[in-house]
Amino acid sequence: MPDDHRPAAPLAPDFAPHHAKVALVRAVPADDWLTLSWDDGLTWRVYGMFLRENEVTPGVVSPVTREREVELDAMPVAALPAKADITPAGNLAVIWQDGAISQFSAAWLRDMAVGLWRPEAHLPDTAPWTTADLPAPPSFDGPAFLNSADGLVAPLTALWRYGLARLRGLPTDAGTVQRVAERIGTVRNSNFGFLFSVETKPDPDSNAYRAVPLDAHTDLATRELQPGFQLLHCRENSATGGESTMVDGFAVADAIRADDPEAYRALTTLGWVFTNRHRDTDYRWSGPIIETDTTGAPVEIRNTGFLRFFPDMDEADIPRAYDALRHFTALCRTPRFQMATAFAPGDLVIFDNRRVLHGRAAFDPQSGVRRLEGCYLDRDEVASRLRVLARGRA
C-alpha cells in the first residue's frame, strides 16, 4: 500500500479540524462497501462511491476550495475497493479495482462514522422555556461580542438553545446593530429595509411604528421564508411603558400538544393566509400556525396576528381553527409563558423569529423618546458561525 508521503492534498474534504482520539485498526472491502473498525470497538460501513467522490485530489475535490469538481455521472459507475489498509500514519488507503489509489484521513472518517456530517452537529441542543426557567433574557457583555471571538461563543450558544439572548453595554450609535449582525453573518434585507428604525412615525406602514401595544407575534409571516433571527438595539428609551415581551412558541406548542391534541392538530395542519396590506407592496403566504417535523414536534411558528387574513381551509374546519388559535394566543399572554423586560439604552436583543414571539406594551410618546434599530439574519447564519467557532475550540 502507498505511504503517507504520496498525496500533497489534504486528506479530508472540508476545513474543519479532525482529531483522532482512537485508532483506525481495520478496513475490510466487500463489494461496493468498506467496513472500518476502530480500537474502541466502533465499526462503520461506508459506501465506496461516497469515499471515491470525496477524495481531495484535482478533478474530484479541489484541494483549494474543498468543493467537488466532478459530477456523479463522470465517476466510475461502480466504485469497487479491491484492497484497503491502514497507512503508517494511521490513515486509510484504498486501491480501487480500476487501479486508482486514494487516501483518507482516519480522523475525518471517525467523525463521519459518529454522525458529525449532520446539519445539527456542533450546534447546541434547543431547550423550550417558560418564565419559571428563564425569567429574563440570558445576558452577555456587548463590547466583548463586538471585539473578540471568545465573546461570541456564550451568547450564540444561548441564542441557539433558548432562541433568545441579550447583549448589554453596547454603544448607542446608529449602525451598531449592523456591526453586531455582521459579527455573525450576512444581514437579510426586507420590505422594511436593510436596517429599520422602530419609532413612532407620522405615516406608518406597520403597527410597530405606532405607540400601540403589540401582541406576541413573529415578523413577516407574509413571506415564504420568515426572517430567521431578529436583532433589536435600543438607542434611546426615555418613554413611559413599552416593555418588551418574549414568548417561546415551542414551549406553548408543546403545552397544547400535551393538553389538547385536537387543537394542536388544527394549529399544525390548517393554513391561514397572511398579507401585508400595504399601499406599495402585496406580500402573501399561506401556512399553518405551527410547522412540525416528521415526529410532529414544532420547528417553526408563523403568527403575525395583525397580518393574518383569510382561513385557507375547508369551511367545516374554520370554527376549530379559530378555537385553536384563540387557545394559542391566550396562552402566549399568560405570565407562565410571557417574559416582560424593559429596554435600556445599549441593550440589544437577538431572538429566533421563527420560534420566539415578541411584542411590547403600549408606551406614551409624549413622555419621552423610544428609538430602536433592527435588522434580520437567516437562521443558517447563526448555525454557520457556531460551527466555525467550534472549529477554533476543537
Side-chain angles (χ1 to χ4, degrees), residues 236-260:
E236 188 173 356
N237 189 14
S238 56
T240 302
E243 290 79 12
S244 171
T245 59
M246 298 281 174
V247 177
D248 186 353
F250 288 179
V252 174
D254 287 343
I256 295 175
R257 187 183 189 187
D259 299 338
D260 193 343

Side-chain angles (χ1 to χ4, degrees), residues 125-267:
D125 292 334
T126 58
W129 54 265
T130 67
T131 53
D133 311 306
L134 208 65
S139 297
F140 305 91
D141 183 73
F145 190 95
L146 282 177
N147 297 313
S148 74
D150 287 345
L152 296 172
V153 176
L156 294 185
T157 298
L159 178 61
W160 196 266
R161 178 166 291 130
Y162 302 114
L164 175 63
R166 177 172 60 183
L167 304 178
R168 312 210 76 171
L170 287 165
T172 57
D173 304 338
T176 297
V177 70
Q178 181 176 344
R179 291 177 59 202
V180 170
E182 289 178 345
R183 291 284 290 156
I184 302 170
T186 302
V187 175
R188 169 176 165 171
N189 208 346
S190 76
N191 49 294
F192 292 129
F194 186 72
L195 302 180
F196 47 87
S197 182
V198 183
E199 54 188 310
T200 55
K201 298 180 180 180
D203 186 24
D205 58 357
S206 170
N207 284 346
Y209 303 140
R210 301 168 63 202
V212 298
L214 294 177
D215 285 324
H217 64 281
T218 60
D219 267 18
L220 301 185
T222 60
R223 308 303 291 268
E224 176 182 1
L225 186 66
Q226 296 182 111
F229 284 87
Q230 182 169 172
L231 294 82
L232 286 174
H233 173 226
C234 181
R235 297 188 55 214
E236 188 173 356
N237 189 14
S238 56
T240 302
E243 290 79 12
S244 171
T245 59
M246 298 281 174
V247 177
D248 186 353
F250 288 179
V252 174
D254 287 343
I256 295 175
R257 187 183 189 187
D259 299 338
D260 193 343
E262 286 303 315
Y264 190 76
R265 190 170 297 111
L267 291 164

Side-chain angles (χ1 to χ4, degrees), residues 20 22 38-40 42 44 105-115:
V22 291
W38 283 264
D39 64 1
D40 64 349
L42 178 72
W44 182 49
S105 159
W108 173 72
L109 291 166
R110 174 70 181 209
D111 285 349
M112 297 304 97
V114 298

